């Protein structure tokens, strides 16, 4: 019976890791495209196609005309969550011959560094707020007890 539970846990873990990998890929894709646009070795025509693709994706996101209107909760945003990654994949297809793996690994390192500093900053801010609240409580108690 325990082996069955272990198999279920392993399956859930694998599914969670796949989802996290997709999310990381979705987050790093815009930065990867930015790195591609900065690269002087990439032909200008490929850069122009990538920019046009990004403009179309951005226009779809901010456009009030959607496949499913955004005023419908969840399902209105679901089409954006499907169309945006598909748009990024199309941009990748429109820019053939570009070694995207090196840029993608560089983007993942940059995103990990950014996430580290964001989490570190939040922890420091939370500790400072707790210290401030502790000092405030201490002062109030001292004032009340005289």
């Amino acid at each position: 019976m325990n082996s069955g539970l272990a198999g279920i846990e392993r399956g859930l873990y694998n599914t969670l890791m796949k989802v996290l990998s997709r999310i990381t890929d979705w987050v790093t894709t815009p930065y990867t495209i930015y790195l591609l646009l900065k690269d002087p070795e990439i032909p200008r025509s490929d850069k122009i196609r990538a920019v046009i693709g990004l403009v179309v994706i951005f226009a779809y996101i901010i456009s009030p005309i959607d496949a499913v209107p955004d005023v419908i909760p969840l399902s209105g945003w679901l089409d954006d969550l499907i169309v945006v990654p598909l748009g990024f994949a199309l941009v990748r297809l429109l820019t053939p011959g570009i070694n995207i793996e090196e840029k993608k690994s560089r983007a993942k390192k940059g995103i990990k560094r950014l996430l580290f500093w964001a989490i570190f900053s939040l922890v420091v801010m939370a500790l400072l707020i707790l210290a401030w609240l502790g000092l405030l409580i201490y002062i109030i108690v001292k004032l009340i007890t005289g």
Side-chain angles (χ1 to χ4, degrees), residues 6-24:
I8 291 172
E9 289 175 0
R10 198 173 320 118
L12 288 173
Y13 176 79
N14 290 338
T15 303
L16 180 62
M17 288 298 112
K18 286 179 186 176
V19 169
L20 288 176
S21 174
R22 299 245 185 225
I23 290 172
T24 303

Side-chain angles (χ1 to χ4, degrees), residues 109-124:
K109 287 177 188 173
I111 294 295
K112 285 180 183 178
R113 188 172 53 241
L114 178 71
L115 286 175
F116 168 77
W117 285 109
I119 291 170
F120 177 77
S121 300
L122 288 173
V123 168
V124 168

Side-chain angles (χ1 to χ4, degrees), residues 124-140:
V124 168
M125 188 174 22
L127 290 174
L128 288 173
I129 289 171
L130 287 174
W132 182 79
L133 286 173
L135 181 64
L136 185 66
I137 291 170
Y138 175 78
I139 292 171
I140 292 172

Side-chain angles (χ1 to χ4, degrees), residues 7-8 37 42 61 70 81 104-105 112:
I8 291 172
L37 294 176
I42 296 176
I61 290 172
D70 287 339
L81 290 175
K104 186 187 276 189
S105 67
K112 285 180 183 178

